[in-house]
Amino acid sequence: MKRSLSSVLVYFYPLAGRLKKGESGRMEVDCNDEGAEFREASINIPFKDIEKDGFCRKSFFPKLVHDINLSVNENYSRPLLLIQVTAFEGGGICIGTTFHHVIKDENSYWHFMTSWAECSRGLPLAKPPQHARAVFKRDKKNPMSISYKALEIISQGITGAKIFKFVSDSSSSYHMKTCGSANVEKPNELLQKWVDPKMKTEVIYSTFCFTDDMIQELKQRSGASSSFVAVAAQFSRCVMRAREVSLEEAVYFVLLGDCRGRVKPPLPPTYFGNCLSLGLAQTTAKALINSDISFAADIIQQLIHSCTSEAQINYLIDWAESPGGNCLSLVKEAGWEYGTNAVSSPRFPLYEIDFGWGKPADVQVATMNEIGIMLLSCAKDGGKSILVSTCLPQHQMEVLHHLLTVSVE
């Protein structure tokens, strides 16, 4: 695995670099070939016991990956890629990966993992990565002044929601303030911010399976055009109910959409880096919970169209070049406390990664840093089911299990 990691890093060379402050004052990746970190570990727990339990989450799971604070500041000098291979008693290993998000999105993550597995099997890379970033460069010296504003949704007779959009704001200078630092807090510390201290409970991780039959029923009830919209609409409504959010409270739905094929000129699927468009919609808990599922589906559908349009992507590029242009400041600016953040996708090849001794028995995210997050993935059997993982305080998770069981039958 070490040899194949060295081989694949020749192609994915930014992962062997380090963050540094560039001449412009912004952080950039110095491709200095300092390398990735590879750690070997062992645990005195039989792999067969974990397998018999269906890989149900255990307290030690976070220890299967590097526990570091991946900040984006001039003091961060650690590797951008950290690998930990943990051997279980009696055979079986876990490959734990920690990436700095500044270097890649999830599309690039699975591209790298697939390529690493090919090198491990002695095969040439089927899809070498592309690193050209010229498409994001602007000819003008000063980026356009961009605002991030909430626009009312009025569609199919449905009102009571807003979609945040990037819009040109030539009448005034750029005004989005930088909110705090861009440091990323440790997951457990961040999670506890959203847990009521009076509950005195731990955060529980769970995964829910939406079978093909459930998805088809949800699509029919919601009028959704895709499985993602149907599942996201149902899940976000149930999460807010489980959290017992005050009906007058503002609630949000956030998504990150891959826009490799939507920039001009389009980027190839093998582009390595971050190429994501941000979408944020707002309504009230009352409107989301008390309305039919079609209300949530309509919001999510319009949000997808909005954040992946050519105009929005162009504005996003200009905004990213402006002072304070980072996603963390946007979320804080909006004051988001109750929301569902949809990440990942069931189209990623989680269970196709083969290092030469077979496909993985299980794939999980070791840590989540948001209460009520919605992490989508494919089913192990390769069927049309969609798995959704999240984390909530124990009582809320119990309620969510009940709501999802009842609502899809």
Side-chain angles (χ1 to χ4, degrees), residues 92-119:
I93 66 169
C94 173
I95 304 172
T97 59
T98 304
F99 280 79
H100 202 307
H101 215 323
V102 73
I103 202 71
K104 57 83 204 167
D105 55 23
E106 192 160 5
N107 186 87
S108 292
Y109 169 77
W110 289 111
H111 181 196
F112 168 79
M113 293 299 292
T114 300
S115 300
W116 182 15
E118 288 173 340
C119 284

Side-chain angles (χ1 to χ4, degrees), residues 133-145:
R133 283 165 166 73
V135 70
F136 298 115
K137 299 296 183 182
R138 297 307 203 197
D139 293 331
K140 54 183 179 294
K141 294 182 179 179
N142 298 317
M144 183 184 299
S145 180

